[in-house]
Every structure is written in C-alpha cells, then in structure tokens.
Amino acid sequence: MAPPARDTPTPTARTEAPTTSPPRAPLTRERVLSAAVALADDEGLWALTMRRLAQELGVEAMSLYHHVANKEAVLDGIVEVVLDEVNATVGAPGGPAAADAWQPAMRHRILTARTVLLRHRWAPRVLETRTTTNLPAIAYFDGTLGVLRTGGFSWDLAHHALHVLGSRALGFTQELFEPDDPDSGGDEAAAMLEQMADRFPNLVGMLAEVVHDDVGTLGWCDDQFEFEFALDLLLDGLEARRAAG
Amino acid sequence: MAPPARDTPTPTARTEAPTTSPPRAPLTRERVLSAAVALADDEGLWALTMRRLAQELGVEAMSLYHHVANKEAVLDGIVEVVLDEVNATVGAPGGPAAADAWQPAMRHRILTARTVLLRHRWAPRVLETRTTTNLPAIAYFDGTLGVLRTGGFSWDLAHHALHVLGSRALGFTQELFEPDDPDSGGDEAAAMLEQMADRFPNLVGMLAEVVHDDVGTLGWCDDQFEFEFALDLLLDGLEARRAAG
DNA sequence: ACCTGAACACCGTTCAAGT
DNA sequence: ACCTGAACACCGTTCAAGT
C-alpha cells in the first residue's frame, strides 16, 4: 500500500509547491508600492503615511526605508505603478485598427486610460506634484505620438497635440460643484445660488434651463459626457489643423 | 514764533495720521490670509504651516485659531483671495467691447486670468483640493457664462463650454518635462531619451525635428504658446458647435 | 542582510491659563 | 476679547543596536 499522506490532496492542503514557501513573503519594493496603491485606493491619499503603510504590511515603519528611499520615492513609485497599468491597458491588442482612422483610435486610447485613472482617483493629483521625469509617462506619450504620426500629423502639430491631449488625458478636470456629501451638498449650493439670482444671473438662468431630473440640485453634470464633449472638441479641432496642412 | 516741532515734517517722520496708529496692527482674518498668500508665493506651499505663518505675523501659532478655524480654512481662504484678484482683474472695464465678438472677449478674459494665476502658481493645485463651494469661483464662471450668452450660445452649449474652458483657465496643464533645475534637468532627460531611441522612437523622432535653439535639451516647450494653441482649438471648436445651432 | 526600538525635529490642534 | 505656554497625538526620518 502506498502511504496515504503527502500524495492525497485534501480540501485544505491542495497541491503543494515543490519548493518550501516562506511563511511571510519578504518585503520588496514591489510589495511596498502595491500596498501603497491599495491603501490610497481604499482610504484616500491622506491615509498614506509611512507608519500606516508599514502597519498594512505587518512591519515596522522603519523597515520600509530598506526598500524605498523616503516618502517621495513612494509617491514616485505609486504613480509609476498606475501609469504602467494605463500602458498595459491601452496597449492591449485587439483595439480598432489605427492605420486609417486616427480619431477613433485616439478616442479609444484616451477613454481607456481614463477608466484606469478613475480607479485611482488620487493618481493625477500626485502626478502633478512629481518633478522627476517619469518613464511610464514617457512611454504613454510615445504611444500617443505614434497614433498621431500614423494619422498623418507633422511632428510639429503632433507636438502641440501632445500638450493638448496630455492635459485632458492625465490631468483631470476639477469637479467644481462636486459636494462632500453627494446628497446634501448639491442642494445646499443650489439654495445658495437661489438667494443670489441678482448677483449671478447667468448661472441661475442656466440652472433653470439645463437641470433635468433632480430640479433644485447641482448634481446635473454628467462627468463622462463632459469629458467626451471636450475630447471631441479637441479631436475635431486637431483634425481641422491637420487637414489644413 | 511757531513751535518748530510737530508742524515741520522731517524726512523720517512724514505726515502723521490724525488718529493714533497702534504700534502693531491687530490680527484679523484678512491679515492672516494676506500673509499666507505672500508666504506661499515667496517660499512655496510646503512652507505654509500654521507655526511658520504665525511667525511671519509676529505672533504665536495658537493666536491664528481666533481668526481662522483651522488650516483647511486658511487654504479655503487663500484660494478665495486669489480668485478675488482674478475677478478684479478680468472684470476691469476697458476691455474689448464684447457685444459682437465673443471669441476675442473670451480669449482676453482667460489670458488675463492666467496672468494672475501665474503669480500664484500654487493656487490651481490648492483649488483642486477644495471641496466646499467657493463664491469667487462661482462669480468667475458667472462672468464667463455672461460672455458666452452675449455671444449667442444656448444655455446647454454654454454649460458644456463652461466645463471645457474651466479646466483650461483654472486647472493648469502639468509641465511634464519641467525639470527641478531648469539648467541641468532638461539635458539629463534628453540624454536618457537618447539612450532609448529604440524604445521611444516617436519621441526621439519628434525631438530631432522640433527642437530649435538648444539642441539636446528638452526646454523647447513654450508654455504660453501651448496654452494659446489649446485655447484657440477650444474656441474654434466651440464656435463651430455654436454656429451649427 | 534585513529588521527594529528609541529618539529627534517637526506638524496641527486642544486646553487651561493669562491679560 | 484676544493672546499664550504647555501638552497631546500625530508626522517623516536618523541612528545605533539587534538577529
């Protein structure tokens, strides 16, 4: 009879790895940055402190300094993690054939990048504070340039287009009227405006005309729609400049 | 003979105010915010701490809390100070008659706002972090809406235009390649790219074509030009949407 | 080599006390 | 009423010490 143990997989102990797996994964730069991204995603950028990050990894704060130089390096790192994710997503094959139609290709590219950044809303804010040159960002813009060049842009016009599209794709529009509490803040702001019809006649006039469903609130800005409206404006404008030579 | 003192102004003691001026101006919310703006202008946002701000005013840190609720209130306040300055500047009379030409009027308005924000480069970054509704910002956008309406925009299109232009006028484009040290950083980044011609063929190709004076540096982005390029793109696009009805 | 405890120099903020 | 000193609970980071 063969020995039953070790060969018979039980529900709890499934296929065991041939090598002995360590009880705790050792700390690495990658693990530190992943935990930092997760922490910022879950609890916001303000929660990302060195002490809290260490706690999340089951380690003392000072241990982090063996894998990252300081907190600035953590911020540099998490931005690169997110931009790597952006590049991996937009670079996935199977997108529309970009050969003859740069506009839908660019549209798809930027809207795809946006979906990634929406999962890491803190990222654009941190990106804006980075001063060091950033490899994944360079790679992203190189890909953008590739789409433009394939579409027949001159280098000069592609250069300007990069500036225009870059601020749209990576630098988010601030949500002017986004309230802290999505339920109450809008009403509050609307009530405030209501009292100031004479001071802000245009805003009040627009509100009266544009608000659809929730009358009396300011939650009527469809962010996705506004983003695409601005994006198409830019794309059409660039196409006109391009066609003009 | 008249007494010589008190009537004869000396070079050091000029015209004395009729009321007795206090040796130290009392602390007010306005003085606190002015000092905070000046501190951020001079030494950057990172230097703006409650303790440092108090020191700048010749007072203890805790005294500030009698005039502002906390540091968030200081940040709210200095944003409003800057936006008041924006409104005062763009609202000054003597601008081009906006009645029949909305495009030059808007162009002038936004470029004027930009000159103010360039004097307070920290302001857009702080503005993006504000969650509370902000009266001077509302006033600014109301003025913008006024220009659009005078130019014949529908409320709906004016609403979208507000989003588009708002992110341009108040939310700055991050300067992707702006180095810490304007002299060395560009060369460093260019050298890095040089080594990666195969990885980033488009960027390297563009650099080879577009760089004018300082070959080998990345300091070839004229921020003002790029801003106006993007702005005109948006304005032309909006005009086309408007004319289409 | 990798991790840690104690310590330092800073934060924002509270509180009880001064005038 | 306005301002203050001492104190509290946090930061990021350094350093000498542990294994």
Side-chain angles (χ1 to χ4, degrees), chain A residues 38-86:
Chain A
L39 185 54
D41 285 347
D42 292 348
E43 307 195 25
L45 204 58
W46 64 270
L48 179 57
T49 69
M50 296 300 272
R51 283 171 153 93
R52 177 67 197 281
L53 178 56
Q55 181 186 316
E56 217 73 18
L57 287 159
V59 92
E60 296 299 312
M62 302 72 205
S63 305
L64 301 175
Y65 287 86
H66 290 273
H67 302 95
V68 291
N70 48 36
K71 186 172 182 182
E72 283 299 295
V74 173
L75 294 178
D76 289 341
I78 60 178
V79 163
E80 296 193 8
V81 167
V82 168
L83 291 181
D84 280 338
E85 188 184 344
V86 167

mmCIF file of all heavy atoms in Angstrom, chain A residues 38-86:
data_model
loop_
_atom_site.group_PDB
_atom_site.id
_atom_site.type_symbol
_atom_site.label_atom_id
_atom_site.label_comp_id
_atom_site.label_asym_id
_atom_site.label_seq_id
_atom_site.Cartn_x
_atom_site.Cartn_y
_atom_site.Cartn_z
ATOM 1 N N ALA A 38 -2.942 50.260 -2.961
ATOM 2 C CA ALA A 38 -4.191 49.740 -2.393
ATOM 3 C C ALA A 38 -4.691 50.643 -1.275
ATOM 4 O O ALA A 38 -5.896 50.921 -1.174
ATOM 5 C CB ALA A 38 -3.974 48.319 -1.877
ATOM 6 N N LEU A 39 -3.775 51.115 -0.458
ATOM 7 C CA LEU A 39 -4.159 51.981 0.660
ATOM 8 C C LEU A 39 -4.747 53.296 0.160
ATOM 9 O O LEU A 39 -5.786 53.767 0.650
ATOM 10 C CB LEU A 39 -2.933 52.236 1.544
ATOM 11 C CG LEU A 39 -3.138 53.020 2.834
ATOM 12 C CD1 LEU A 39 -4.232 52.391 3.680
ATOM 13 C CD2 LEU A 39 -1.835 53.095 3.617
ATOM 14 N N ALA A 40 -4.093 53.892 -0.828
ATOM 15 C CA ALA A 40 -4.605 55.148 -1.385
ATOM 16 C C ALA A 40 -5.948 54.924 -2.073
ATOM 17 O O ALA A 40 -6.854 55.767 -1.968
ATOM 18 C CB ALA A 40 -3.592 55.745 -2.356
ATOM 19 N N ASP A 41 -6.088 53.804 -2.772
ATOM 20 C CA ASP A 41 -7.370 53.491 -3.411
ATOM 21 C C ASP A 41 -8.484 53.374 -2.378
ATOM 22 O O ASP A 41 -9.576 53.915 -2.559
ATOM 23 C CB ASP A 41 -7.275 52.156 -4.169
ATOM 24 C CG ASP A 41 -6.485 52.288 -5.465
ATOM 25 O OD1 ASP A 41 -6.234 53.429 -5.895
ATOM 26 O OD2 ASP A 41 -6.125 51.246 -6.037
ATOM 27 N N ASP A 42 -8.191 52.661 -1.296
ATOM 28 C CA ASP A 42 -9.237 52.309 -0.335
ATOM 29 C C ASP A 42 -9.583 53.467 0.592
ATOM 30 O O ASP A 42 -10.751 53.679 0.914
ATOM 31 C CB ASP A 42 -8.807 51.110 0.512
ATOM 32 C CG ASP A 42 -8.721 49.837 -0.320
ATOM 33 O OD1 ASP A 42 -9.210 49.854 -1.467
ATOM 34 O OD2 ASP A 42 -8.168 48.836 0.171
ATOM 35 N N GLU A 43 -8.562 54.199 1.043
ATOM 36 C CA GLU A 43 -8.824 55.167 2.105
ATOM 37 C C GLU A 43 -8.400 56.582 1.753
ATOM 38 O O GLU A 43 -8.528 57.488 2.590
ATOM 39 C CB GLU A 43 -8.125 54.728 3.401
ATOM 40 C CG GLU A 43 -8.477 53.302 3.797
ATOM 41 C CD GLU A 43 -8.102 53.004 5.231
ATOM 42 O OE1 GLU A 43 -8.030 53.959 6.025
ATOM 43 O OE2 GLU A 43 -7.870 51.827 5.544
ATOM 44 N N GLY A 44 -7.876 56.773 0.564
ATOM 45 C CA GLY A 44 -7.511 58.116 0.157
ATOM 46 C C GLY A 44 -6.046 58.418 0.428
ATOM 47 O O GLY A 44 -5.391 57.755 1.224
ATOM 48 N N LEU A 45 -5.584 59.437 -0.235
ATOM 49 C CA LEU A 45 -4.165 59.783 -0.180
ATOM 50 C C LEU A 45 -3.734 60.207 1.215
ATOM 51 O O LEU A 45 -2.602 59.935 1.639
ATOM 52 C CB LEU A 45 -3.910 60.922 -1.172
ATOM 53 C CG LEU A 45 -2.496 61.078 -1.704
ATOM 54 C CD1 LEU A 45 -2.043 59.811 -2.393
ATOM 55 C CD2 LEU A 45 -2.439 62.250 -2.652
ATOM 56 N N TRP A 46 -4.621 60.839 1.936
ATOM 57 C CA TRP A 46 -4.269 61.328 3.269
ATOM 58 C C TRP A 46 -3.940 60.158 4.197
ATOM 59 O O TRP A 46 -3.208 60.336 5.177
ATOM 60 C CB TRP A 46 -5.411 62.143 3.852
ATOM 61 C CG TRP A 46 -6.647 61.346 4.090
ATOM 62 C CD1 TRP A 46 -7.675 61.146 3.222
ATOM 63 C CD2 TRP A 46 -6.953 60.593 5.264
ATOM 64 N NE1 TRP A 46 -8.612 60.317 3.772
ATOM 65 C CE2 TRP A 46 -8.202 59.961 5.033
ATOM 66 C CE3 TRP A 46 -6.328 60.385 6.480
ATOM 67 C CZ2 TRP A 46 -8.808 59.142 5.973
ATOM 68 C CZ3 TRP A 46 -6.939 59.560 7.410
ATOM 69 C CH2 TRP A 46 -8.167 58.951 7.157
ATOM 70 N N ALA A 47 -4.489 58.981 3.931
ATOM 71 C CA ALA A 47 -4.233 57.824 4.803
ATOM 72 C C ALA A 47 -2.864 57.216 4.538
ATOM 73 O O ALA A 47 -2.399 56.374 5.310
ATOM 74 C CB ALA A 47 -5.316 56.775 4.604
ATOM 75 N N LEU A 48 -2.252 57.612 3.438
ATOM 76 C CA LEU A 48 -0.961 57.018 3.065
ATOM 77 C C LEU A 48 0.173 57.701 3.829
ATOM 78 O O LEU A 48 0.744 58.688 3.383
ATOM 79 C CB LEU A 48 -0.748 57.150 1.550
ATOM 80 C CG LEU A 48 0.565 56.605 1.008
ATOM 81 C CD1 LEU A 48 0.734 55.140 1.361
ATOM 82 C CD2 LEU A 48 0.631 56.795 -0.499
ATOM 83 N N THR A 49 0.478 57.160 5.004
ATOM 84 C CA THR A 49 1.646 57.600 5.767
ATOM 85 C C THR A 49 2.597 56.418 5.874
ATOM 86 O O THR A 49 2.186 55.267 5.714
ATOM 87 C CB THR A 49 1.254 58.066 7.186
ATOM 88 O OG1 THR A 49 0.836 56.931 7.959
ATOM 89 C CG2 THR A 49 0.139 59.086 7.127
ATOM 90 N N MET A 50 3.831 56.715 6.143
ATOM 91 C CA MET A 50 4.819 55.645 6.227
ATOM 92 C C MET A 50 4.461 54.668 7.341
ATOM 93 O O MET A 50 4.584 53.449 7.185
ATOM 94 C CB MET A 50 6.205 56.243 6.465
ATOM 95 C CG MET A 50 6.708 57.115 5.323
ATOM 96 S SD MET A 50 6.849 56.240 3.758
ATOM 97 C CE MET A 50 8.524 55.594 3.884
ATOM 98 N N ARG A 51 3.999 55.214 8.447
ATOM 99 C CA ARG A 51 3.657 54.349 9.577
ATOM 100 C C ARG A 51 2.470 53.458 9.250
ATOM 101 O O ARG A 51 2.470 52.251 9.537
ATOM 102 C CB ARG A 51 3.373 55.219 10.805
ATOM 103 C CG ARG A 51 4.624 55.767 11.468
ATOM 104 C CD ARG A 51 4.255 56.793 12.534
ATOM 105 N NE ARG A 51 5.239 56.907 13.610
ATOM 106 C CZ ARG A 51 6.238 57.768 13.629
ATOM 107 N NH1 ARG A 51 6.410 58.600 12.616
ATOM 108 N NH2 ARG A 51 7.080 57.794 14.637
ATOM 109 N N ARG A 52 1.451 54.056 8.633
ATOM 110 C CA ARG A 52 0.265 53.292 8.299
ATOM 111 C C ARG A 52 0.574 52.252 7.225
ATOM 112 O O ARG A 52 0.087 51.121 7.271
ATOM 113 C CB ARG A 52 -0.829 54.245 7.807
ATOM 114 C CG ARG A 52 -2.087 53.564 7.353
ATOM 115 C CD ARG A 52 -2.793 52.893 8.516
ATOM 116 N NE ARG A 52 -3.774 51.923 8.045
ATOM 117 C CZ ARG A 52 -4.983 52.243 7.594
ATOM 118 N NH1 ARG A 52 -5.371 53.494 7.597
ATOM 119 N NH2 ARG A 52 -5.809 51.303 7.156
ATOM 120 N N LEU A 53 1.383 52.622 6.278
ATOM 121 C CA LEU A 53 1.769 51.698 5.208
ATOM 122 C C LEU A 53 2.508 50.496 5.778
ATOM 123 O O LEU A 53 2.245 49.343 5.403
ATOM 124 C CB LEU A 53 2.646 52.444 4.198
ATOM 125 C CG LEU A 53 3.195 51.651 3.017
ATOM 126 C CD1 LEU A 53 2.080 50.984 2.236
ATOM 127 C CD2 LEU A 53 4.003 52.576 2.103
ATOM 128 N N ALA A 54 3.402 50.756 6.717
ATOM 129 C CA ALA A 54 4.125 49.658 7.366
ATOM 130 C C ALA A 54 3.154 48.740 8.102
ATOM 131 O O ALA A 54 3.240 47.503 7.990
ATOM 132 C CB ALA A 54 5.161 50.226 8.331
ATOM 133 N N GLN A 55 2.242 49.356 8.811
ATOM 134 C CA GLN A 55 1.240 48.579 9.548
ATOM 135 C C GLN A 55 0.468 47.666 8.601
ATOM 136 O O GLN A 55 0.218 46.499 8.912
ATOM 137 C CB GLN A 55 0.298 49.567 10.239
ATOM 138 C CG GLN A 55 -0.801 48.925 11.077
ATOM 139 C CD GLN A 55 -1.775 49.980 11.598
ATOM 140 O OE1 GLN A 55 -1.352 51.038 12.071
ATOM 141 N NE2 GLN A 55 -3.060 49.709 11.495
ATOM 142 N N GLU A 56 0.129 48.193 7.445
ATOM 143 C CA GLU A 56 -0.615 47.411 6.454
ATOM 144 C C GLU A 56 0.199 46.194 6.010
ATOM 145 O O GLU A 56 -0.366 45.172 5.626
ATOM 146 C CB GLU A 56 -0.918 48.315 5.248
ATOM 147 C CG GLU A 56 -2.260 48.078 4.621
ATOM 148 C CD GLU A 56 -3.405 48.611 5.488
ATOM 149 O OE1 GLU A 56 -3.134 49.446 6.393
ATOM 150 O OE2 GLU A 56 -4.537 48.207 5.263
ATOM 151 N N LEU A 57 1.516 46.308 6.061
ATOM 152 C CA LEU A 57 2.391 45.226 5.615
ATOM 153 C C LEU A 57 2.856 44.367 6.798
ATOM 154 O O LEU A 57 3.678 43.462 6.618
ATOM 155 C CB LEU A 57 3.606 45.813 4.883
ATOM 156 C CG LEU A 57 3.310 46.380 3.490
ATOM 157 C CD1 LEU A 57 4.391 47.364 3.063
ATOM 158 C CD2 LEU A 57 3.184 45.261 2.468
ATOM 159 N N GLY A 58 2.360 44.665 7.984
ATOM 160 C CA GLY A 58 2.728 43.881 9.152
ATOM 161 C C GLY A 58 4.183 44.037 9.550
ATOM 162 O O GLY A 58 4.848 43.071 9.936
ATOM 163 N N VAL A 59 4.670 45.271 9.469
ATOM 164 C CA VAL A 59 6.081 45.519 9.661
ATOM 165 C C VAL A 59 6.239 46.871 10.348
ATOM 166 O O VAL A 59 5.274 47.632 10.460
ATOM 167 C CB VAL A 59 6.787 45.467 8.274
ATOM 168 C CG1 VAL A 59 6.847 46.836 7.653
ATOM 169 C CG2 VAL A 59 8.130 44.812 8.372
ATOM 170 N N GLU A 60 7.406 47.173 10.842
ATOM 171 C CA GLU A 60 7.615 48.483 11.448
ATOM 172 C C GLU A 60 7.913 49.531 10.378
ATOM 173 O O GLU A 60 8.432 49.207 9.311
ATOM 174 C CB GLU A 60 8.782 48.425 12.441
ATOM 175 C CG GLU A 60 8.521 47.517 13.615
ATOM 176 C CD GLU A 60 7.319 47.974 14.437
ATOM 177 O OE1 GLU A 60 7.248 49.172 14.756
ATOM 178 O OE2 GLU A 60 6.456 47.122 14.737
ATOM 179 N N ALA A 61 7.593 50.777 10.675
ATOM 180 C CA ALA A 61 7.726 51.844 9.679
ATOM 181 C C ALA A 61 9.149 51.936 9.139
ATOM 182 O O ALA A 61 9.357 52.170 7.938
ATOM 183 C CB ALA A 61 7.311 53.182 10.283
ATOM 184 N N MET A 62 10.100 51.722 10.012
ATOM 185 C CA MET A 62 11.487 51.934 9.596
ATOM 186 C C MET A 62 11.976 50.873 8.613
ATOM 187 O O MET A 62 12.931 51.094 7.863
ATOM 188 C CB MET A 62 12.393 51.965 10.822
ATOM 189 C CG MET A 62 11.994 53.055 11.807
ATOM 190 S SD MET A 62 10.441 52.618 12.660
ATOM 191 C CE MET A 62 9.815 54.240 13.110
ATOM 192 N N SER A 63 11.305 49.745 8.592
ATOM 193 C CA SER A 63 11.692 48.693 7.648
ATOM 194 C C SER A 63 11.478 49.124 6.201
ATOM 195 O O SER A 63 12.169 48.668 5.284
ATOM 196 C CB SER A 63 10.882 47.425 7.926
ATOM 197 O OG SER A 63 11.023 47.038 9.271
ATOM 198 N N LEU A 64 10.518 50.028 5.990
ATOM 199 C CA LEU A 64 10.236 50.463 4.621
ATOM 200 C C LEU A 64 11.458 51.120 3.996
ATOM 201 O O LEU A 64 11.666 51.023 2.785
ATOM 202 C CB LEU A 64 9.070 51.453 4.626
ATOM 203 C CG LEU A 64 7.739 50.954 5.201
ATOM 204 C CD1 LEU A 64 6.733 52.082 5.248
ATOM 205 C CD2 LEU A 64 7.211 49.801 4.372
ATOM 206 N N TYR A 65 12.251 51.763 4.831
ATOM 207 C CA TYR A 65 13.363 52.552 4.310
ATOM 208 C C TYR A 65 14.481 51.687 3.744
ATOM 209 O O TYR A 65 15.428 52.203 3.164
ATOM 210 C CB TYR A 65 13.897 53.490 5.399
ATOM 211 C CG TYR A 65 12.953 54.638 5.668
ATOM 212 C CD1 TYR A 65 11.903 54.506 6.560
ATOM 213 C CD2 TYR A 65 13.092 55.838 4.990
ATOM 214 C CE1 TYR A 65 11.022 55.553 6.792
ATOM 215 C CE2 TYR A 65 12.226 56.885 5.222
ATOM 216 C CZ TYR A 65 11.195 56.742 6.124
ATOM 217 O OH TYR A 65 10.332 57.778 6.341
ATOM 218 N N HIS A 66 14.375 50.371 3.913
ATOM 219 C CA HIS A 66 15.344 49.486 3.252
ATOM 220 C C HIS A 66 14.947 49.221 1.800
ATOM 221 O O HIS A 66 15.738 48.676 1.024
ATOM 222 C CB HIS A 66 15.449 48.165 4.016
ATOM 223 C CG HIS A 66 16.124 48.306 5.339
ATOM 224 N ND1 HIS A 66 17.486 48.227 5.486
ATOM 225 C CD2 HIS A 66 15.626 48.568 6.562
ATOM 226 C CE1 HIS A 66 17.790 48.417 6.765
ATOM 227 N NE2 HIS A 66 16.688 48.629 7.438
ATOM 228 N N HIS A 67 13.730 49.607 1.428
ATOM 229 C CA HIS A 67 13.252 49.305 0.073
ATOM 230 C C HIS A 67 12.882 50.541 -0.721
ATOM 231 O O HIS A 67 12.819 50.490 -1.945
ATOM 232 C CB HIS A 67 12.072 48.347 0.143
ATOM 233 C CG HIS A 67 12.398 47.059 0.839
ATOM 234 N ND1 HIS A 67 12.151 46.843 2.163
ATOM 235 C CD2 HIS A 67 13.005 45.935 0.386
ATOM 236 C CE1 HIS A 67 12.570 45.632 2.504
ATOM 237 N NE2 HIS A 67 13.093 45.061 1.440
ATOM 238 N N VAL A 68 12.592 51.629 -0.015
ATOM 239 C CA VAL A 68 12.354 52.911 -0.682
ATOM 240 C C VAL A 68 13.141 53.979 0.069
ATOM 241 O O VAL A 68 13.306 53.901 1.283
ATOM 242 C CB VAL A 68 10.857 53.280 -0.712
ATOM 243 C CG1 VAL A 68 10.091 52.351 -1.631
ATOM 244 C CG2 VAL A 68 10.276 53.251 0.685
ATOM 245 N N ALA A 69 13.594 54.973 -0.688
ATOM 246 C CA ALA A 69 14.468 55.975 -0.078
ATOM 247 C C ALA A 69 13.718 56.799 0.961
ATOM 248 O O ALA A 69 14.221 57.055 2.053
ATOM 249 C CB ALA A 69 15.052 56.883 -1.149
ATOM 250 N N ASN A 70 12.517 57.214 0.633
ATOM 251 C CA ASN A 70 11.717 58.042 1.539
ATOM 252 C C ASN A 70 10.298 58.115 0.992
ATOM 253 O O ASN A 70 9.959 57.403 0.040
ATOM 254 C CB ASN A 70 12.333 59.437 1.671
ATOM 255 C CG ASN A 70 12.664 60.015 0.307
ATOM 256 O OD1 ASN A 70 11.935 59.794 -0.648
ATOM 257 N ND2 ASN A 70 13.764 60.745 0.225
ATOM 258 N N LYS A 71 9.502 58.978 1.566
ATOM 259 C CA LYS A 71 8.098 59.012 1.151
ATOM 260 C C LYS A 71 7.942 59.535 -0.276
ATOM 261 O O LYS A 71 7.065 59.072 -1.018
ATOM 262 C CB LYS A 71 7.264 59.866 2.110
ATOM 263 C CG LYS A 71 5.792 59.779 1.774
ATOM 264 C CD LYS A 71 4.884 60.424 2.770
ATOM 265 C CE LYS A 71 3.441 60.214 2.341
ATOM 266 N NZ LYS A 71 2.492 60.863 3.272
ATOM 267 N N GLU A 72 8.759 60.487 -0.655
ATOM 268 C CA GLU A 72 8.712 60.982 -2.028
ATOM 269 C C GLU A 72 8.921 59.841 -3.022
ATOM 270 O O GLU A 72 8.267 59.778 -4.060
ATOM 271 C CB GLU A 72 9.781 62.063 -2.242
ATOM 272 C CG GLU A 72 9.417 63.422 -1.668
ATOM 273 C CD GLU A 72 8.168 64.003 -2.302
ATOM 274 O OE1 GLU A 72 8.193 64.293 -3.504
ATOM 275 O OE2 GLU A 72 7.159 64.167 -1.593
ATOM 276 N N ALA A 73 9.821 58.928 -2.674
ATOM 277 C CA ALA A 73 10.064 57.781 -3.543
ATOM 278 C C ALA A 73 8.835 56.879 -3.614
ATOM 279 O O ALA A 73 8.562 56.269 -4.658
ATOM 280 C CB ALA A 73 11.277 56.998 -3.048
ATOM 281 N N VAL A 74 8.094 56.795 -2.519
ATOM 282 C CA VAL A 74 6.844 56.028 -2.546
ATOM 283 C C VAL A 74 5.860 56.689 -3.506
ATOM 284 O O VAL A 74 5.224 56.012 -4.326
ATOM 285 C CB VAL A 74 6.236 55.932 -1.132
ATOM 286 C CG1 VAL A 74 4.855 55.299 -1.186
ATOM 287 C CG2 VAL A 74 7.144 55.148 -0.213
ATOM 288 N N LEU A 75 5.755 58.012 -3.434
ATOM 289 C CA LEU A 75 4.830 58.725 -4.321
ATOM 290 C C LEU A 75 5.272 58.585 -5.782
ATOM 291 O O LEU A 75 4.449 58.344 -6.668
ATOM 292 C CB LEU A 75 4.757 60.200 -3.918
ATOM 293 C CG LEU A 75 4.140 60.456 -2.538
ATOM 294 C CD1 LEU A 75 4.155 61.936 -2.197
ATOM 295 C CD2 LEU A 75 2.733 59.897 -2.449
ATOM 296 N N ASP A 76 6.566 58.730 -6.033
ATOM 297 C CA ASP A 76 7.073 58.466 -7.380
ATOM 298 C C ASP A 76 6.660 57.072 -7.832
ATOM 299 O O ASP A 76 6.193 56.868 -8.954
ATOM 300 C CB ASP A 76 8.607 58.563 -7.399
ATOM 301 C CG ASP A 76 9.110 59.998 -7.242
ATOM 302 O OD1 ASP A 76 8.320 60.931 -7.483
ATOM 303 O OD2 ASP A 76 10.284 60.170 -6.887
ATOM 304 N N GLY A 77 6.847 56.111 -6.934
ATOM 305 C CA GLY A 77 6.612 54.713 -7.281
ATOM 306 C C GLY A 77 5.158 54.399 -7.587
ATOM 307 O O GLY A 77 4.861 53.716 -8.574
ATOM 308 N N ILE A 78 4.236 54.899 -6.772
ATOM 309 C CA ILE A 78 2.835 54.546 -6.995
ATOM 310 C C ILE A 78 2.302 55.204 -8.264
ATOM 311 O O ILE A 78 1.439 54.642 -8.931
ATOM 312 C CB ILE A 78 1.948 54.893 -5.780
ATOM 313 C CG1 ILE A 78 1.970 56.380 -5.458
ATOM 314 C CG2 ILE A 78 2.362 54.053 -4.574
ATOM 315 C CD1 ILE A 78 1.059 56.753 -4.297
ATOM 316 N N VAL A 79 2.831 56.370 -8.599
ATOM 317 C CA VAL A 79 2.435 56.974 -9.875
ATOM 318 C C VAL A 79 2.890 56.080 -11.032
ATOM 319 O O VAL A 79 2.134 55.840 -11.984
ATOM 320 C CB VAL A 79 3.035 58.391 -10.013
ATOM 321 C CG1 VAL A 79 2.985 58.845 -11.458
ATOM 322 C CG2 VAL A 79 2.287 59.371 -9.135
ATOM 323 N N GLU A 80 4.076 55.560 -10.921
ATOM 324 C CA GLU A 80 4.575 54.687 -12.000
ATOM 325 C C GLU A 80 3.788 53.385 -12.070
ATOM 326 O O GLU A 80 3.532 52.867 -13.168
ATOM 327 C CB GLU A 80 6.067 54.411 -11.789
ATOM 328 C CG GLU A 80 6.903 55.679 -11.894
ATOM 329 C CD GLU A 80 8.397 55.393 -11.997
ATOM 330 O OE1 GLU A 80 8.764 54.218 -12.132
ATOM 331 O OE2 GLU A 80 9.186 56.364 -11.939
ATOM 332 N N VAL A 81 3.395 52.870 -10.922
ATOM 333 C CA VAL A 81 2.568 51.662 -10.923
ATOM 334 C C VAL A 81 1.274 51.907 -11.693
ATOM 335 O O VAL A 81 0.870 51.105 -12.544
ATOM 336 C CB VAL A 81 2.259 51.205 -9.481
ATOM 337 C CG1 VAL A 81 1.150 50.163 -9.459
ATOM 338 C CG2 VAL A 81 3.504 50.657 -8.813
ATOM 339 N N VAL A 82 0.639 53.035 -11.428
ATOM 340 C CA VAL A 82 -0.628 53.334 -12.092
ATOM 341 C C VAL A 82 -0.414 53.557 -13.587
ATOM 342 O O VAL A 82 -1.186 53.068 -14.420
ATOM 343 C CB VAL A 82 -1.295 54.565 -11.444
ATOM 344 C CG1 VAL A 82 -2.455 55.059 -12.299
ATOM 345 C CG2 VAL A 82 -1.782 54.223 -10.046
ATOM 346 N N LEU A 83 0.653 54.277 -13.933
ATOM 347 C CA LEU A 83 0.880 54.546 -15.350
ATOM 348 C C LEU A 83 1.283 53.273 -16.093
ATOM 349 O O LEU A 83 0.963 53.117 -17.277
ATOM 350 C CB LEU A 83 1.938 55.636 -15.517
ATOM 351 C CG LEU A 83 1.471 57.023 -15.061
ATOM 352 C CD1 LEU A 83 2.569 58.054 -15.279
ATOM 353 C CD2 LEU A 83 0.205 57.441 -15.785
ATOM 354 N N ASP A 84 1.943 52.362 -15.402
ATOM 355 C CA ASP A 84 2.198 51.057 -16.012
ATOM 356 C C ASP A 84 0.883 50.351 -16.322
ATOM 357 O O ASP A 84 0.725 49.735 -17.377
ATOM 358 C CB ASP A 84 3.047 50.189 -15.064
ATOM 359 C CG ASP A 84 4.526 50.547 -15.131
ATOM 360 O OD1 ASP A 84 4.956 51.124 -16.151
ATOM 361 O OD2 ASP A 84 5.255 50.254 -14.167
ATOM 362 N N GLU A 85 -0.050 50.478 -15.385
ATOM 363 C CA GLU A 85 -1.368 49.870 -15.599
ATOM 364 C C GLU A 85 -2.070 50.535 -16.786
ATOM 365 O O GLU A 85 -2.703 49.851 -17.601
ATOM 366 C CB GLU A 85 -2.202 50.016 -14.314
ATOM 367 C CG GLU A 85 -3.512 49.253 -14.331
ATOM 368 C CD GLU A 85 -4.352 49.501 -13.076
ATOM 369 O OE1 GLU A 85 -3.802 50.002 -12.075
ATOM 370 O OE2 GLU A 85 -5.552 49.201 -13.107
ATOM 371 N N VAL A 86 -1.934 51.855 -16.879
ATOM 372 C CA VAL A 86 -2.512 52.561 -18.026
ATOM 373 C C VAL A 86 -1.909 52.031 -19.321
ATOM 374 O O VAL A 86 -2.631 51.681 -20.269
ATOM 375 C CB VAL A 86 -2.268 54.082 -17.912
ATOM 376 C CG1 VAL A 86 -2.585 54.773 -19.235
ATOM 377 C CG2 VAL A 86 -3.101 54.681 -16.795
#
